Amino acid sequence: MFDVLVYLYEHYWRPDACPESGQLTRKLSAVGFEPDEISEALTWLDGLNALTQGTACLPAPNSIRVFVDAELDRLGPEALGFLHFLVGAGVLTPTLREVVLDRVLAVPRGPVALDDFKVLVLLVFWSLGEEPDALILDELFVDDEDRLIH
């Protein structure tokens, strides 16, 4: 599923640039993705679209978040730490935090690896037509072992 999501991010600069579902499925299949991967990714994206375009009940800007066991299990310690980093840095508002958490819970398997979690966060911004600032993009894209330290 994550490979399909990364492919979509790399090849379509906005979600509305993607072809309709049937044509997109055929394109992804022609590229070599498996039908179950495609189905999971498109279902996940449909849920993301419903959240970002809908008027769901969202938290107040200064709310405090308490995680339930299912969320902690699905996140895992590394993704949870990175989520706290993004919220603390002001990159994720409480509303975006809830969108990210909803999409983490929508992943068929867990816990979500840190690299996969970063893809989910990136796709949330992508779905809104936004791009995080350069330093956050660096955190989302560059592996720690590839990072140059001055």
Side-chain angles (χ1 to χ4, degrees), residues 4 19 23 30-31 40 43 57 65 81-82 105 110 126-127 135:
V4 174
Q23 183 180 7
V31 172
E40 285 178 358
T43 299
C57 179
R65 182 63 156 84
F82 194 71
L105 292 174
W126 177 75
S127 73
L135 292 175

Side-chain angles (χ1 to χ4, degrees), residues 24-120:
L24 182 58
T25 299
R26 288 188 297 279
K27 281 187 172 198
L28 292 170
S29 183
V31 172
F33 292 111
E34 297 294 322
D36 59 330
E37 277 185 299
I38 296 168
S39 176
E40 285 178 358
L42 295 183
T43 299
W44 188 91
L45 282 172
D46 287 343
L48 177 59
N49 185 49
L51 276 175
T52 57
Q53 304 306 314
T55 56
C57 179
L58 298 170
N62 57 356
S63 65
I64 296 174
R65 182 63 156 84
V66 178
F67 297 93
V68 298
D69 289 338
E71 293 167 334
L72 294 172
D73 291 342
R74 188 58 60 97
L75 279 168
E78 286 184 321
L80 180 62
F82 194 71
L83 176 65
H84 284 303
F85 162 72
L86 293 174
V87 171
V91 174
L92 289 179
T93 63
T95 300
L96 286 180
R97 178 196 61 216
E98 294 306 311
V99 171
V100 168
L101 283 171
D102 180 86
R103 296 295 76 210
V104 166
L105 292 174
V107 172
R109 294 163 290 286
V112 175
L114 180 58
D115 287 341
D116 294 339
F117 179 77
K118 289 177 178 183
V119 169
L120 299 181

Side-chain angles (χ1 to χ4, degrees), residues 13-24:
W13 72 287
R14 289 189 340 233
D16 58 354
C18 292
E20 58 88 19
S21 185
Q23 183 180 7
L24 182 58

